[in-house]
Amino acid sequence: MAAIDRDKELSTRADIRDQVLKIAERVGKRFEKQRDRAENSKDNWDAYNCELSDKQFYNGTSKLYLPFIHDAVEARKTRFGNQLFPQNQKHVEVTTMGGEQPYGTQSLLEHYISSLQLHTQIVEPMLVNGDLEGQYTIYVSWEENRRYVTRKVKRPVEMDGIEIPEDIEPPVDDMEDEREVVEAGPSIEVISDSDVVIFPETAKSPEAAVAAGGFVAIARRWTKAEIKRKRVKKEIPAKAAERLEQLMGSPERGKVPVDTGKIQGSAAGIKVESGDKIALVFEVWSLLKIEGEYRICRFLWAGGEEVLTVKRNPYWCDRLPILSCAVDKTNRIAKGKAPADPVLDLQVLANDVINEAADSAHFSALPIIMTDPEKNPQIDSLVFGLGAIWKTDPQSTQFAKFPEMWKDGLERAMAIRGQIFQTLGVNPAMIPAMTGGKNKRNQAEVAQEQQVDILTTAAAVKVVEQNILTPLLTLILEFDHQFRSDAILIPIYGPVGRKVQMEELEPQQVDRTYKFRWFGVEAAQNAARMQQQIAGVNVLRGIPPQAYPGYKLNLAPVISSMVESLFGPVIGPQVFTEEAEITVDAQVENDMMVHGFDTPVHPADNDVEHLQAHMQAVQQTMDPHGTLRKHIAKHQQAAQMKAQAQMAAQQQRKGGAPGAPGPAPGGQPMMPQSQPGAPGGIHPDQMARAGAVEMPRKM
């Protein structure tokens, strides 16, 4: 079958249109069936935005909200995001079939990660969506923005078409003609779970659903400006755009999916006016039979029989731009349950408790006056006021007080918070200032909490790494190969020991087999295992070479990894530099020195061989310029320094001399002893370890 153009409009073909309408009918039904799930997500968003709902039982004077779910979700977002994005700013691991490390491709992906602000603008909102909706979903595309800039330049003064020299008349400021600047790159959008339908529901991923004969549908809400932009970019035909503008706001409200974006905007203080109209459009990806062959197609459907456009998958890689996975995978179900669902009722209970306690606190601050109206006919005069005189019988008037139940209410609220945090896996190490209080934990308990935190966090972020971020790297490179045609200036991060430099990278050619892996999680775990690595190095350097015949010990990769984790890709290469082992042959050095050229001694030179060759040259040529004897003295000094260094290393492997630096072989590095510091300085026991939150040592 001849290849079908990916830009060809297929909606005019009757057979294609019939297939699309059959799929569109199922799309509408599937959105209706997941409406209960969307309503649950709406309740979770209300809890995250600290808005009281109709689920509250107590309806009193106070309208307080305890942000327990909000704090727990924020703590999870911060911890998971920091675990996915390490401090050394290296997130990508790329391997090829040839074994040569493609530093240009790796640096290109790092550039896109930085330009997208993937950590703060994409991953953190996606993590919040996952906790409240139970699903991580992003949509990847390529976006181009055009700007027309004007620059100020220096132009020579002209007279009658002749340029006047600068020494006579200096150049004047002038405006350069407008120049078009195109900014292009990948664009990522976080999609709400309420706006996504995956059919069949048992598919493990969107691509698996389409491959099984199903579909993936996304509900889009377009304004008139968005419709105009789609028409200008020729994403929808002009006639279809006109019909869509006429249909804006016409769908029945009950059939419109729950708009969680509008809920979030309302919480942020952005109100959508009732008169604003939107066009509800469903973007559907499915297999369509075209000339006897099934191909992945994308069509836009506006309800009823209104099919806006049908085209083949516009991407050369023929992959879906939708990446979606459940936060907590359920067997044989594509979508998972939101972690906030089990604690929503506890949040409602906490709000009732705190409002009851607040009302109790208000009432307990006001005294109760009991009086006999028959004995005190002037009850209206019993008014609080400075210097007031009450015309009443003091024997018939008594004062009482409401019980102070607010203290008990606060204790019950804190107990509910503990259960919410436990269910959501939030430990004290994830909440600032939560390790203090009356019941202070000792150092062993704090260490145990941190260990639990590391294990639970690693298990949670693996879902994002394997199902979202790692496939995202492949999509970004595929889109770069398809859409970018000009060179791009980016910083190239080479191996440790090589300085970072700016280079122009030509468009990528995907003609080799690449394997990408998001390296952020492992990099963070490596930083946590730094102490064990140091101890392992101490053990290795204490093993004599005769214990491993046929092998040699090379600690350079371990040291380079430690340096990069500690100082990052910019400072690390300046701390631990790669020294090129370029030595000059001894006979070549002899020829140079005989003619009067002084040659330096390289640390990688074989001093014994060079000394023998240079001494023979002295006997043969009598060293006319004295350069040979000076060079021989330098070799003798270098050999002596190498011998001393070797003896010191051997002595350290045997246990170390008194006062020798560094721990003994196999010893764990210890914390420095307290030394007197400057007045007002922070005591070492009060300092938190780098990258962790821990309690001070119990004295």
Side-chain angles (χ1 to χ4, degrees), residues 45 65 85 205 298 312 320 333 376 397 491 522 587 643 650 689:
W45 276 109
Y65 201 103
F85 292 83
S205 66
R298 179 185 67 177
R312 277 195 61 192
L320 295 186
I333 297 297
N376 300 312
T397 304
E522 185 167 338
Q587 299 300 331
Q650 292 178 354
R689 185 162 48 87

PDB file of all heavy atoms in Angstrom, residues 45 65 85 205 298 312 320 333 376 397 491 522 587 643 650 689:
ATOM      1  N   TRP A  45      -9.994  17.868  45.319  1.00  0.00           N
ATOM      2  CA  TRP A  45      -9.455  19.196  45.015  1.00  0.00           C
ATOM      3  C   TRP A  45      -9.993  20.236  45.992  1.00  0.00           C
ATOM      4  O   TRP A  45      -9.250  21.160  46.395  1.00  0.00           O
ATOM      5  CB  TRP A  45      -9.790  19.590  43.582  1.00  0.00           C
ATOM      6  CG  TRP A  45      -8.830  19.039  42.572  1.00  0.00           C
ATOM      7  CD1 TRP A  45      -9.060  18.052  41.667  1.00  0.00           C
ATOM      8  CD2 TRP A  45      -7.476  19.448  42.368  1.00  0.00           C
ATOM      9  NE1 TRP A  45      -7.936  17.811  40.911  1.00  0.00           N
ATOM     10  CE2 TRP A  45      -6.950  18.656  41.319  1.00  0.00           C
ATOM     11  CE3 TRP A  45      -6.654  20.396  42.964  1.00  0.00           C
ATOM     12  CZ2 TRP A  45      -5.639  18.790  40.859  1.00  0.00           C
ATOM     13  CZ3 TRP A  45      -5.343  20.538  42.511  1.00  0.00           C
ATOM     14  CH2 TRP A  45      -4.853  19.745  41.471  1.00  0.00           C
ATOM     15  N   TYR A  65     -10.829  25.667  58.561  1.00  0.00           N
ATOM     16  CA  TYR A  65     -10.422  24.490  57.779  1.00  0.00           C
ATOM     17  C   TYR A  65      -9.007  24.120  58.186  1.00  0.00           C
ATOM     18  O   TYR A  65      -8.096  24.957  58.144  1.00  0.00           O
ATOM     19  CB  TYR A  65     -10.464  24.790  56.274  1.00  0.00           C
ATOM     20  CG  TYR A  65     -10.559  23.549  55.420  1.00  0.00           C
ATOM     21  CD1 TYR A  65     -11.765  23.179  54.836  1.00  0.00           C
ATOM     22  CD2 TYR A  65      -9.458  22.731  55.202  1.00  0.00           C
ATOM     23  CE1 TYR A  65     -11.870  22.032  54.061  1.00  0.00           C
ATOM     24  CE2 TYR A  65      -9.550  21.592  54.442  1.00  0.00           C
ATOM     25  CZ  TYR A  65     -10.752  21.243  53.868  1.00  0.00           C
ATOM     26  OH  TYR A  65     -10.845  20.097  53.114  1.00  0.00           O
ATOM     27  N   PHE A  85      14.808  14.886  40.860  1.00  0.00           N
ATOM     28  CA  PHE A  85      15.718  15.865  40.271  1.00  0.00           C
ATOM     29  C   PHE A  85      16.877  16.098  41.234  1.00  0.00           C
ATOM     30  O   PHE A  85      16.761  16.888  42.176  1.00  0.00           O
ATOM     31  CB  PHE A  85      14.987  17.174  39.985  1.00  0.00           C
ATOM     32  CG  PHE A  85      13.955  17.067  38.903  1.00  0.00           C
ATOM     33  CD1 PHE A  85      12.685  16.596  39.187  1.00  0.00           C
ATOM     34  CD2 PHE A  85      14.254  17.420  37.606  1.00  0.00           C
ATOM     35  CE1 PHE A  85      11.722  16.482  38.193  1.00  0.00           C
ATOM     36  CE2 PHE A  85      13.302  17.317  36.603  1.00  0.00           C
ATOM     37  CZ  PHE A  85      12.040  16.843  36.892  1.00  0.00           C
ATOM     38  N   SER A 205      -1.470   0.809  29.291  1.00  0.00           N
ATOM     39  CA  SER A 205      -0.973   2.118  28.876  1.00  0.00           C
ATOM     40  C   SER A 205      -1.835   2.628  27.731  1.00  0.00           C
ATOM     41  O   SER A 205      -2.583   1.850  27.111  1.00  0.00           O
ATOM     42  CB  SER A 205       0.494   2.038  28.441  1.00  0.00           C
ATOM     43  OG  SER A 205       0.621   1.261  27.266  1.00  0.00           O
ATOM     44  N   ARG A 298      -5.659  10.529  14.449  1.00  0.00           N
ATOM     45  CA  ARG A 298      -6.186  11.472  15.441  1.00  0.00           C
ATOM     46  C   ARG A 298      -7.347  12.229  14.810  1.00  0.00           C
ATOM     47  O   ARG A 298      -7.218  12.774  13.707  1.00  0.00           O
ATOM     48  CB  ARG A 298      -5.111  12.463  15.875  1.00  0.00           C
ATOM     49  CG  ARG A 298      -5.606  13.487  16.888  1.00  0.00           C
ATOM     50  CD  ARG A 298      -4.562  14.524  17.215  1.00  0.00           C
ATOM     51  NE  ARG A 298      -4.269  15.371  16.073  1.00  0.00           N
ATOM     52  CZ  ARG A 298      -3.430  16.411  16.110  1.00  0.00           C
ATOM     53  NH1 ARG A 298      -2.786  16.689  17.229  1.00  0.00           N
ATOM     54  NH2 ARG A 298      -3.206  17.130  15.032  1.00  0.00           N
ATOM     55  N   ARG A 312      -3.896  11.175   9.872  1.00  0.00           N
ATOM     56  CA  ARG A 312      -2.991  10.177  10.438  1.00  0.00           C
ATOM     57  C   ARG A 312      -2.174  10.797  11.566  1.00  0.00           C
ATOM     58  O   ARG A 312      -2.099  12.026  11.714  1.00  0.00           O
ATOM     59  CB  ARG A 312      -2.040   9.646   9.358  1.00  0.00           C
ATOM     60  CG  ARG A 312      -2.613   8.552   8.485  1.00  0.00           C
ATOM     61  CD  ARG A 312      -1.480   7.856   7.730  1.00  0.00           C
ATOM     62  NE  ARG A 312      -0.519   7.225   8.655  1.00  0.00           N
ATOM     63  CZ  ARG A 312       0.665   6.758   8.278  1.00  0.00           C
ATOM     64  NH1 ARG A 312       1.040   6.843   7.014  1.00  0.00           N
ATOM     65  NH2 ARG A 312       1.462   6.200   9.152  1.00  0.00           N
ATOM     66  N   LEU A 320       2.109   7.692  20.456  1.00  0.00           N
ATOM     67  CA  LEU A 320       1.112   8.582  21.030  1.00  0.00           C
ATOM     68  C   LEU A 320       1.810   9.634  21.876  1.00  0.00           C
ATOM     69  O   LEU A 320       2.749   9.310  22.623  1.00  0.00           O
ATOM     70  CB  LEU A 320       0.115   7.807  21.896  1.00  0.00           C
ATOM     71  CG  LEU A 320      -0.786   6.783  21.205  1.00  0.00           C
ATOM     72  CD1 LEU A 320      -1.799   6.239  22.204  1.00  0.00           C
ATOM     73  CD2 LEU A 320      -1.509   7.386  20.020  1.00  0.00           C
ATOM     74  N   ILE A 333      -6.485  -2.915  35.555  1.00  0.00           N
ATOM     75  CA  ILE A 333      -7.194  -1.651  35.420  1.00  0.00           C
ATOM     76  C   ILE A 333      -6.178  -0.576  35.048  1.00  0.00           C
ATOM     77  O   ILE A 333      -5.110  -0.469  35.659  1.00  0.00           O
ATOM     78  CB  ILE A 333      -7.922  -1.261  36.722  1.00  0.00           C
ATOM     79  CG1 ILE A 333      -8.984  -2.301  37.063  1.00  0.00           C
ATOM     80  CG2 ILE A 333      -8.552   0.111  36.584  1.00  0.00           C
ATOM     81  CD1 ILE A 333     -10.094  -2.416  36.044  1.00  0.00           C
ATOM     82  N   ASN A 376     -35.803  40.626  89.490  1.00  0.00           N
ATOM     83  CA  ASN A 376     -35.022  41.647  88.774  1.00  0.00           C
ATOM     84  C   ASN A 376     -35.794  42.055  87.522  1.00  0.00           C
ATOM     85  O   ASN A 376     -35.568  41.545  86.429  1.00  0.00           O
ATOM     86  CB  ASN A 376     -33.647  41.110  88.376  1.00  0.00           C
ATOM     87  CG  ASN A 376     -32.838  40.689  89.597  1.00  0.00           C
ATOM     88  OD1 ASN A 376     -32.737  41.407  90.577  1.00  0.00           O
ATOM     89  ND2 ASN A 376     -32.271  39.487  89.504  1.00  0.00           N
ATOM     90  N   THR A 397     -28.624  36.783  91.548  1.00  0.00           N
ATOM     91  CA  THR A 397     -27.873  36.784  90.282  1.00  0.00           C
ATOM     92  C   THR A 397     -26.589  35.974  90.465  1.00  0.00           C
ATOM     93  O   THR A 397     -25.847  36.193  91.431  1.00  0.00           O
ATOM     94  CB  THR A 397     -27.518  38.206  89.842  1.00  0.00           C
ATOM     95  OG1 THR A 397     -28.736  38.966  89.748  1.00  0.00           O
ATOM     96  CG2 THR A 397     -26.809  38.195  88.504  1.00  0.00           C
ATOM     97  N   PRO A 491      24.978  24.070  26.229  1.00  0.00           N
ATOM     98  CA  PRO A 491      26.173  23.611  26.955  1.00  0.00           C
ATOM     99  C   PRO A 491      26.327  22.101  26.828  1.00  0.00           C
ATOM    100  O   PRO A 491      25.368  21.353  27.007  1.00  0.00           O
ATOM    101  CB  PRO A 491      25.892  24.037  28.403  1.00  0.00           C
ATOM    102  CG  PRO A 491      24.405  24.108  28.499  1.00  0.00           C
ATOM    103  CD  PRO A 491      23.914  24.523  27.140  1.00  0.00           C
ATOM    104  N   GLU A 522      18.216   7.365  40.660  1.00  0.00           N
ATOM    105  CA  GLU A 522      19.422   6.643  41.046  1.00  0.00           C
ATOM    106  C   GLU A 522      20.500   7.592  41.545  1.00  0.00           C
ATOM    107  O   GLU A 522      21.248   7.264  42.454  1.00  0.00           O
ATOM    108  CB  GLU A 522      19.944   5.835  39.865  1.00  0.00           C
ATOM    109  CG  GLU A 522      21.141   4.966  40.216  1.00  0.00           C
ATOM    110  CD  GLU A 522      21.456   3.951  39.135  1.00  0.00           C
ATOM    111  OE1 GLU A 522      20.548   3.645  38.344  1.00  0.00           O
ATOM    112  OE2 GLU A 522      22.595   3.486  39.089  1.00  0.00           O
ATOM    113  N   GLN A 587      64.182   8.922  23.204  1.00  0.00           N
ATOM    114  CA  GLN A 587      65.106   9.258  22.123  1.00  0.00           C
ATOM    115  C   GLN A 587      64.762  10.603  21.493  1.00  0.00           C
ATOM    116  O   GLN A 587      65.643  11.384  21.116  1.00  0.00           O
ATOM    117  CB  GLN A 587      65.082   8.148  21.060  1.00  0.00           C
ATOM    118  CG  GLN A 587      65.515   6.786  21.577  1.00  0.00           C
ATOM    119  CD  GLN A 587      66.946   6.810  22.109  1.00  0.00           C
ATOM    120  OE1 GLN A 587      67.787   7.599  21.660  1.00  0.00           O
ATOM    121  NE2 GLN A 587      67.215   5.923  23.065  1.00  0.00           N
ATOM    122  N   ALA A 643      58.405   7.102  44.800  1.00  0.00           N
ATOM    123  CA  ALA A 643      58.728   6.058  45.773  1.00  0.00           C
ATOM    124  C   ALA A 643      58.205   6.415  47.155  1.00  0.00           C
ATOM    125  O   ALA A 643      57.675   5.568  47.881  1.00  0.00           O
ATOM    126  CB  ALA A 643      60.237   5.822  45.808  1.00  0.00           C
ATOM    127  N   GLN A 650      51.508   2.220  51.167  1.00  0.00           N
ATOM    128  CA  GLN A 650      51.640   0.898  51.772  1.00  0.00           C
ATOM    129  C   GLN A 650      51.493   0.972  53.285  1.00  0.00           C
ATOM    130  O   GLN A 650      50.859   0.120  53.909  1.00  0.00           O
ATOM    131  CB  GLN A 650      52.983   0.283  51.388  1.00  0.00           C
ATOM    132  CG  GLN A 650      53.097  -0.074  49.910  1.00  0.00           C
ATOM    133  CD  GLN A 650      54.461  -0.629  49.561  1.00  0.00           C
ATOM    134  OE1 GLN A 650      55.369  -0.650  50.399  1.00  0.00           O
ATOM    135  NE2 GLN A 650      54.623  -1.067  48.315  1.00  0.00           N
ATOM    136  N   ARG A 689      22.524  17.515  58.803  1.00  0.00           N
ATOM    137  CA  ARG A 689      23.396  16.955  57.791  1.00  0.00           C
ATOM    138  C   ARG A 689      22.927  17.389  56.415  1.00  0.00           C
ATOM    139  O   ARG A 689      21.755  17.532  56.147  1.00  0.00           O
ATOM    140  CB  ARG A 689      23.380  15.427  57.892  1.00  0.00           C
ATOM    141  CG  ARG A 689      24.338  14.721  56.955  1.00  0.00           C
ATOM    142  CD  ARG A 689      24.550  13.288  57.448  1.00  0.00           C
ATOM    143  NE  ARG A 689      23.290  12.643  57.756  1.00  0.00           N
ATOM    144  CZ  ARG A 689      22.558  12.002  56.852  1.00  0.00           C
ATOM    145  NH1 ARG A 689      22.959  11.935  55.596  1.00  0.00           N
ATOM    146  NH2 ARG A 689      21.432  11.414  57.193  1.00  0.00           N
TER     147      ARG A 689
END
